[in-house]
Protein backbone atom coordinates (compact mmCIF):
# COMPACT_ATOMS: atom_id res chain seq x y z
CA UNK A 1 0.00 0.00 0.00
CA UNK A 2 2.82 2.33 0.85
CA UNK A 3 4.55 1.75 -2.48
CA UNK A 4 1.26 2.22 -4.35
CA UNK A 5 0.63 5.43 -2.46
CA UNK A 6 4.14 6.65 -3.28
CA UNK A 7 3.66 5.90 -6.99
CA UNK A 8 0.34 7.66 -6.99
CA UNK A 9 1.77 10.69 -5.22
CA UNK A 10 4.67 10.80 -7.68
CA UNK A 11 2.31 10.67 -10.66
CA UNK A 12 0.19 13.42 -9.15
CA UNK A 13 3.29 15.53 -8.57
CA UNK A 14 4.48 15.01 -12.20
CA UNK A 15 1.03 15.88 -13.54
CA UNK A 16 0.93 19.05 -11.47
CA UNK A 17 4.35 20.06 -12.76
CA UNK A 18 3.24 19.43 -16.35
CA UNK A 19 0.14 21.57 -15.93
CA UNK A 20 2.25 24.33 -14.42
CA UNK A 21 4.58 24.27 -17.44
CA UNK A 22 1.60 24.38 -19.83
CA UNK A 23 0.13 27.29 -17.90
CA UNK A 24 3.35 29.23 -18.34
CA UNK A 25 3.21 28.69 -22.13
CA UNK A 26 -0.39 29.87 -22.49
CA UNK A 27 -0.86 33.53 -23.45
CA UNK A 28 -2.05 35.68 -20.63
CA UNK A 29 -5.63 36.91 -20.76
CA UNK A 30 -5.92 40.57 -21.80
CA UNK A 31 -6.36 42.88 -18.87
CA UNK A 32 -8.82 45.73 -19.53
CA UNK A 33 -7.13 49.07 -19.22
CA UNK A 34 -8.87 52.40 -18.75
CA UNK A 35 -8.78 54.61 -21.84
CA UNK A 36 -7.81 51.72 -24.16
CA UNK A 37 -10.14 50.82 -27.02
CA UNK A 38 -11.83 47.49 -26.51
CA UNK A 39 -10.72 44.77 -28.93
CA UNK A 40 -13.28 43.97 -31.59
CA UNK A 41 -14.42 40.39 -31.62
CA UNK A 42 -14.52 38.50 -34.91
CA UNK A 43 -18.30 38.36 -34.62
CA UNK A 44 -18.34 42.15 -34.80
CA UNK A 45 -16.40 42.12 -38.05
CA UNK A 46 -18.62 39.57 -39.74
CA UNK A 47 -21.79 39.75 -37.75
CA UNK A 48 -25.39 39.93 -38.83
CA UNK A 49 -25.10 43.63 -39.51
CA UNK A 50 -22.44 42.92 -42.16
CA UNK A 51 -20.14 45.73 -41.01
CA UNK A 52 -16.37 45.60 -41.26
CA UNK A 53 -15.51 48.05 -38.50
CA UNK A 54 -16.74 48.99 -35.09
CA UNK A 55 -19.42 51.71 -35.16
CA UNK A 56 -18.12 55.16 -34.18
CA UNK A 57 -18.43 56.23 -30.58
CA UNK A 58 -19.63 59.57 -29.23
CA UNK A 59 -16.40 61.29 -30.18
CA UNK A 60 -16.47 59.91 -33.72
CA UNK A 61 -20.11 60.91 -34.20
CA UNK A 62 -19.36 64.38 -32.91
CA UNK A 63 -16.47 64.75 -35.37
CA UNK A 64 -18.70 63.62 -38.23
CA UNK A 65 -21.36 66.17 -37.29
CA UNK A 66 -18.75 68.92 -37.13
CA UNK A 67 -17.31 67.92 -40.53
CA UNK A 68 -20.79 67.77 -42.09
CA UNK A 69 -21.73 71.16 -40.69
CA UNK A 70 -18.45 72.63 -41.95
CA UNK A 71 -18.97 71.19 -45.44
CA UNK A 72 -22.55 72.50 -45.59
CA UNK A 73 -21.40 75.93 -44.45
CA UNK A 74 -18.65 75.99 -47.09
CA UNK A 75 -21.09 74.97 -49.84
CA UNK A 76 -23.58 77.61 -48.72
CA UNK A 77 -20.80 80.22 -48.70
CA UNK A 78 -19.68 79.32 -52.22
CA UNK A 79 -23.26 79.30 -53.47
CA UNK A 80 -23.89 82.70 -51.90
CA UNK A 81 -20.74 84.10 -53.48
CA UNK A 82 -21.79 82.70 -56.87
CA UNK A 83 -25.27 84.21 -56.62
CA UNK A 84 -23.80 87.54 -55.55
CA UNK A 85 -21.45 87.53 -58.54
CA UNK A 86 -24.28 86.67 -60.91
CA UNK A 87 -26.45 89.39 -59.42
CA UNK A 88 -23.67 91.94 -59.76
CA UNK A 89 -23.49 91.20 -63.49
CA UNK A 90 -27.26 91.32 -63.93
CA UNK A 91 -27.67 87.62 -64.72
CA UNK A 92 -30.45 87.22 -62.13
CA UNK A 93 -32.61 90.04 -63.47
CA UNK A 94 -36.15 89.09 -64.45
CA UNK A 95 -35.56 90.55 -67.91
CA UNK A 96 -32.94 87.87 -68.53
CA UNK A 97 -35.27 84.99 -67.62
CA UNK A 98 -38.58 86.30 -68.97
CA UNK A 99 -37.99 85.46 -72.67
CA UNK A 100 -36.84 81.93 -71.81
CA UNK A 101 -40.00 81.14 -69.84
CA UNK A 102 -42.35 81.91 -72.72
CA UNK A 103 -44.26 79.06 -74.34
CA UNK A 104 -42.62 79.34 -77.81
CA UNK A 105 -39.12 79.23 -76.28
CA UNK A 106 -39.98 76.19 -74.15
CA UNK A 107 -41.61 74.43 -77.10
CA UNK A 108 -38.55 75.05 -79.27
CA UNK A 109 -36.18 73.80 -76.59
CA UNK A 110 -38.14 70.71 -75.59
CA UNK A 111 -38.71 69.73 -79.21
CA UNK A 112 -35.12 68.48 -79.06
CA UNK A 113 -35.69 66.34 -75.95
CA UNK A 114 -37.06 63.46 -78.01
CA UNK A 115 -34.03 63.60 -80.31
CA UNK A 116 -31.68 63.47 -77.33
CA UNK A 117 -33.48 60.48 -75.81
CA UNK A 118 -33.62 58.70 -79.19
CA UNK A 119 -29.90 59.15 -79.84
CA UNK A 120 -29.05 58.01 -76.31
CA UNK A 121 -31.26 54.91 -76.39
CA UNK A 122 -30.02 53.82 -79.83
CA UNK A 123 -26.41 54.30 -78.73
CA UNK A 124 -26.99 52.18 -75.61
CA UNK A 125 -29.00 49.53 -77.46
CA UNK A 126 -26.19 48.99 -79.98
CA UNK A 127 -23.13 49.71 -77.84
CA UNK A 128 -24.08 47.44 -74.93
CA UNK A 129 -24.36 44.13 -76.85
CA UNK A 130 -21.43 45.10 -79.08
CA UNK A 131 -19.28 45.73 -76.00
CA UNK A 132 -20.39 42.47 -74.39
CA UNK A 133 -19.44 40.59 -77.56
CA UNK A 134 -16.03 42.26 -77.70
CA UNK A 135 -15.45 41.45 -74.04
CA UNK A 136 -16.28 37.78 -74.59
CA UNK A 137 -14.06 37.61 -77.68
CA UNK A 138 -11.21 39.08 -75.64
CA UNK A 139 -11.71 36.31 -73.07
CA UNK A 140 -11.56 33.63 -75.75
CA UNK A 141 -9.07 30.79 -75.30
CA UNK A 142 -7.94 31.18 -78.90
CA UNK A 143 -5.24 33.80 -79.26
CA UNK A 144 -6.22 34.37 -82.89
CA UNK A 145 -9.56 35.69 -81.58
CA UNK A 146 -8.51 37.27 -78.27
CA UNK A 147 -5.60 39.37 -79.59
CA UNK A 148 -7.53 41.18 -82.37
CA UNK A 149 -10.43 41.79 -79.99
CA UNK A 150 -8.04 43.22 -77.40
CA UNK A 151 -6.49 45.49 -80.04
CA UNK A 152 -9.92 46.78 -81.13
CA UNK A 153 -10.96 47.44 -77.53
CA UNK A 154 -7.77 49.32 -76.71
CA UNK A 155 -8.06 51.48 -79.83
CA UNK A 156 -11.71 52.34 -79.13
CA UNK A 157 -10.97 53.20 -75.52
CA UNK A 158 -7.92 55.29 -76.39
CA UNK A 159 -9.48 57.53 -79.05
CA UNK A 160 -11.29 60.63 -77.73
CA UNK A 161 -14.98 60.73 -78.53
CA UNK A 162 -14.72 64.15 -80.13
CA UNK A 163 -12.04 62.82 -82.46
CA UNK A 164 -14.41 60.05 -83.60
CA UNK A 165 -17.21 62.57 -84.15
CA UNK A 166 -14.99 64.76 -86.33
CA UNK A 167 -13.77 61.71 -88.22
CA UNK A 168 -17.33 60.75 -89.16
CA UNK A 169 -18.15 64.39 -89.90
CA UNK A 170 -15.11 65.32 -92.00
CA UNK A 171 -13.09 62.17 -92.67
CA UNK A 172 -15.71 59.85 -94.12
CA UNK A 173 -17.16 62.42 -96.57
CA UNK A 174 -13.63 62.89 -97.93
CA UNK A 175 -13.63 59.14 -98.63
CA UNK A 176 -17.00 59.33 -100.36
CA UNK A 177 -19.05 57.96 -97.43
CA UNK A 178 -21.88 60.20 -96.32
CA UNK A 179 -24.15 59.69 -93.31
CA UNK A 180 -27.01 61.61 -91.77
CA UNK A 181 -26.30 63.82 -88.72
CA UNK A 182 -28.06 61.26 -86.53
CA UNK A 183 -25.64 58.47 -87.41
CA UNK A 184 -22.66 60.84 -87.43
CA UNK A 185 -23.41 61.29 -83.74
CA UNK A 186 -24.64 57.82 -82.78
CA UNK A 187 -21.93 55.70 -84.42
CA UNK A 188 -19.02 57.43 -82.59
CA UNK A 189 -20.89 57.10 -79.28
CA UNK A 190 -21.51 53.40 -80.03
CA UNK A 191 -17.84 52.75 -80.85
CA UNK A 192 -16.58 54.62 -77.81
CA UNK A 193 -19.12 52.98 -75.53
CA UNK A 194 -18.48 49.50 -76.92
CA UNK A 195 -14.85 49.70 -75.83
CA UNK A 196 -15.86 50.71 -72.32
CA UNK A 197 -18.62 48.10 -72.11
CA UNK A 198 -16.14 45.43 -73.24
CA UNK A 199 -13.77 46.23 -70.38
CA UNK A 200 -16.67 46.28 -67.92
CA UNK A 201 -17.81 42.80 -68.95
CA UNK A 202 -14.27 41.43 -69.02
CA UNK A 203 -13.57 42.73 -65.52
CA UNK A 204 -16.85 41.30 -64.23
CA UNK A 205 -16.17 37.85 -65.64
CA UNK A 206 -12.61 37.77 -64.28
CA UNK A 207 -13.81 38.93 -60.86
CA UNK A 208 -16.01 35.86 -60.36
CA UNK A 209 -14.48 33.00 -58.35
CA UNK A 210 -12.94 30.29 -60.54
CA UNK A 211 -14.96 27.70 -58.69
CA UNK A 212 -18.09 28.86 -60.50
CA UNK A 213 -16.77 27.91 -63.94
CA UNK A 214 -14.91 24.83 -62.65
CA UNK A 215 -18.17 23.49 -61.23
CA UNK A 216 -19.73 23.81 -64.68
CA UNK A 217 -16.85 22.00 -66.31
CA UNK A 218 -17.11 19.29 -63.65
CA UNK A 219 -20.69 18.47 -64.66
CA UNK A 220 -19.73 18.23 -68.35
CA UNK A 221 -20.62 21.69 -69.68
CA UNK A 222 -18.64 23.18 -72.53
CA UNK A 223 -16.92 26.57 -72.33
CA UNK A 224 -19.72 28.37 -74.16
CA UNK A 225 -22.37 26.80 -71.95
CA UNK A 226 -20.47 27.71 -68.80
CA UNK A 227 -20.22 31.34 -69.92
CA UNK A 228 -23.87 31.54 -70.99
CA UNK A 229 -25.50 29.64 -68.14
CA UNK A 230 -23.25 30.30 -65.13
CA UNK A 231 -20.76 33.12 -65.56
CA UNK A 232 -22.61 35.81 -67.51
CA UNK A 233 -25.82 35.89 -65.41
CA UNK A 234 -23.80 36.41 -62.24
CA UNK A 235 -21.47 38.94 -63.86
CA UNK A 236 -24.36 41.01 -65.24
CA UNK A 237 -26.08 41.15 -61.86
CA UNK A 238 -22.85 42.22 -60.16
CA UNK A 239 -22.00 44.79 -62.85
CA UNK A 240 -25.47 46.30 -63.21
CA UNK A 241 -24.61 49.59 -61.42
CA UNK A 242 -21.48 50.01 -63.55
CA UNK A 243 -23.40 49.23 -66.73
CA UNK A 244 -26.04 51.80 -65.85
CA UNK A 245 -23.32 54.34 -65.13
CA UNK A 246 -21.87 53.81 -68.60
CA UNK A 247 -25.38 54.11 -70.07
CA UNK A 248 -25.84 57.46 -68.32
CA UNK A 249 -22.51 58.55 -69.75
CA UNK A 250 -23.66 57.61 -73.26
CA UNK A 251 -26.80 59.71 -72.77
CA UNK A 252 -24.74 62.73 -71.73
CA UNK A 253 -22.41 62.28 -74.70
CA UNK A 254 -25.29 63.12 -77.04
CA UNK A 255 -24.56 66.79 -76.22
CA UNK A 256 -21.86 66.57 -78.91
CA UNK A 257 -24.69 66.67 -81.44
CA UNK A 258 -24.05 70.40 -81.92
CA UNK A 259 -20.83 69.43 -83.74
CA UNK A 260 -22.72 67.58 -86.48
CA UNK A 261 -25.77 69.93 -86.35
CA UNK A 262 -28.03 67.23 -84.95
CA UNK A 263 -31.04 68.95 -83.29
CA UNK A 264 -30.57 67.67 -79.74
CA UNK A 265 -30.86 69.69 -76.53
CA UNK A 266 -27.44 71.32 -76.65
CA UNK A 267 -27.76 72.31 -80.30
CA UNK A 268 -31.23 73.73 -79.86
CA UNK A 269 -30.11 75.50 -76.70
CA UNK A 270 -27.31 77.28 -78.56
CA UNK A 271 -29.75 78.38 -81.26
CA UNK A 272 -32.27 79.58 -78.68
CA UNK A 273 -29.65 81.47 -76.66
CA UNK A 274 -28.41 83.25 -79.79
CA UNK A 275 -31.99 84.21 -80.67
CA UNK A 276 -32.67 85.55 -77.14
CA UNK A 277 -29.70 87.88 -77.19
CA UNK A 278 -26.86 85.51 -76.20
CA UNK A 279 -28.38 84.62 -72.82
CA UNK A 280 -26.46 81.34 -72.71
CA UNK A 281 -26.34 81.07 -68.92
CA UNK A 282 -30.12 80.89 -68.49
CA UNK A 283 -30.55 78.37 -71.32
CA UNK A 284 -27.70 76.18 -70.11
CA UNK A 285 -29.15 76.20 -66.60
CA UNK A 286 -32.41 74.76 -67.88
CA UNK A 287 -30.58 72.19 -70.03
CA UNK A 288 -28.60 71.13 -66.96
CA UNK A 289 -31.84 70.62 -65.01
CA UNK A 290 -33.23 68.48 -67.83
CA UNK A 291 -30.15 66.23 -67.88
CA UNK A 292 -30.21 65.91 -64.09
CA UNK A 293 -33.84 64.79 -64.29
CA UNK A 294 -33.11 62.30 -67.10
CA UNK A 295 -30.15 60.78 -65.30
CA UNK A 296 -32.14 60.58 -62.06
CA UNK A 297 -34.92 58.69 -63.80
CA UNK A 298 -32.43 56.34 -65.42
CA UNK A 299 -30.77 55.69 -62.04
CA UNK A 300 -34.14 54.93 -60.42
CA UNK A 301 -34.95 52.48 -63.23
CA UNK A 302 -31.57 50.85 -62.65
CA UNK A 303 -32.26 50.46 -58.94
CA UNK A 304 -35.67 48.93 -59.66
CA UNK A 305 -34.12 46.51 -62.16
CA UNK A 306 -31.36 45.60 -59.71
CA UNK A 307 -33.96 44.89 -57.01
CA UNK A 308 -35.94 42.66 -59.35
CA UNK A 309 -32.89 40.70 -60.46
CA UNK A 310 -31.74 40.13 -56.87
CA UNK A 311 -34.97 38.65 -55.62
CA UNK A 312 -37.20 41.61 -55.01
CA UNK A 313 -35.79 43.11 -51.86
CA UNK A 314 -32.98 43.60 -49.43
CA UNK A 315 -31.40 40.60 -47.75
CA UNK A 316 -33.06 39.53 -44.55
CA UNK A 317 -31.35 40.41 -41.30
CA UNK A 318 -30.30 37.64 -38.96
Amino acid sequence: MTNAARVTNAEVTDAARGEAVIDTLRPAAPVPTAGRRRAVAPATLQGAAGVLFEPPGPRGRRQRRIASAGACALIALLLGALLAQLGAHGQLDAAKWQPLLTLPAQRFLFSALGNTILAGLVSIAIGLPAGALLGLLRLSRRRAVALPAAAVVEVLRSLPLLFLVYFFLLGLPALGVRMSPFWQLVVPIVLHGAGNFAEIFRAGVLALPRGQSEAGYAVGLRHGQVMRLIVLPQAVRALLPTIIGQAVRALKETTLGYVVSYPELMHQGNVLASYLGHDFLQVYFEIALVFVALNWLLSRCAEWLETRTRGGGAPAKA
Side-chain angles (χ1 to χ4, degrees), residues 193-225:
N196 294 324
F197 279 124
E199 282 300 291
I200 290 173
F201 277 97
R202 187 178 74 91
V205 171
L206 294 179
L208 287 177
R210 294 186 59 183
Q212 299 289 330
S213 56
E214 291 175 355
Y217 296 136
V219 297
L221 296 179
R222 294 188 298 272
H223 179 70
Q225 293 175 324

Side-chain angles (χ1 to χ4, degrees), residues 245-300:
Q246 180 61 33
V248 170
R249 181 179 178 181
L251 180 64
K252 292 186 293 186
E253 287 172 347
T254 58
T255 54
L256 291 177
Y258 75 92
V259 177
V260 297
S261 299
Y262 176 70
E264 44 79 39
L265 272 174
M266 198 67 183
H267 178 270
Q268 296 295 85
N270 289 333
V271 175
L272 180 61
S274 300
Y275 176 78
L276 296 178
H278 299 280
D279 294 334
F280 290 95
L281 179 63
Q282 291 74 18
V283 176
Y284 288 166
F285 179 78
E286 184 173 358
I287 293 176
L289 291 181
V290 172
F291 273 103
V292 168
L294 288 177
N295 294 332
W296 182 83
L297 290 175
L298 189 57
S299 299
R300 297 291 80 78

Side-chain angles (χ1 to χ4, degrees), residues 111-266:
S111 64
L113 181 59
N115 295 333
T116 296
I117 296 176
L118 178 62
L121 292 180
V122 172
S123 301
I124 297 169
I126 300 177
L128 179 58
L133 179 60
L134 280 175
L136 294 178
L137 292 178
R138 190 171 183 180
L139 291 171
S140 176
R141 294 179 174 179
R142 300 179 179 178
R143 296 177 62 87
V145 176
L147 292 180
V152 171
V153 170
E154 292 300 325
V155 169
L156 293 179
R157 294 179 66 244
S158 301
L159 293 177
L161 178 58
L162 189 59
F163 173 82
L164 293 175
V165 173
Y166 275 113
F167 175 77
F168 279 85
L169 175 65
L170 304 175
L172 287 185
L175 299 176
V177 180
R178 300 188 179 275
M179 306 172 67
S180 64
F182 176 80
W183 292 110
Q184 287 177 346
L185 173 65
V186 169
V187 175
I189 296 177
V190 168
L191 294 177
H192 190 260
N196 294 324
F197 279 124
E199 282 300 291
I200 290 173
F201 277 97
R202 187 178 74 91
V205 171
L206 294 179
L208 287 177
R210 294 186 59 183
Q212 299 289 330
S213 56
E214 291 175 355
Y217 296 136
V219 297
L221 296 179
R222 294 188 298 272
H223 179 70
Q225 293 175 324
V226 169
M227 296 295 294
R228 178 169 53 88
L229 300 176
I230 299 177
V231 176
L232 284 182
Q234 298 183 69
V236 170
R237 283 195 296 269
L239 293 173
L240 191 57
T242 309
I243 294 174
I244 296 302
Q246 180 61 33
V248 170
R249 181 179 178 181
L251 180 64
K252 292 186 293 186
E253 287 172 347
T254 58
T255 54
L256 291 177
Y258 75 92
V259 177
V260 297
S261 299
Y262 176 70
E264 44 79 39
L265 272 174
M266 198 67 183

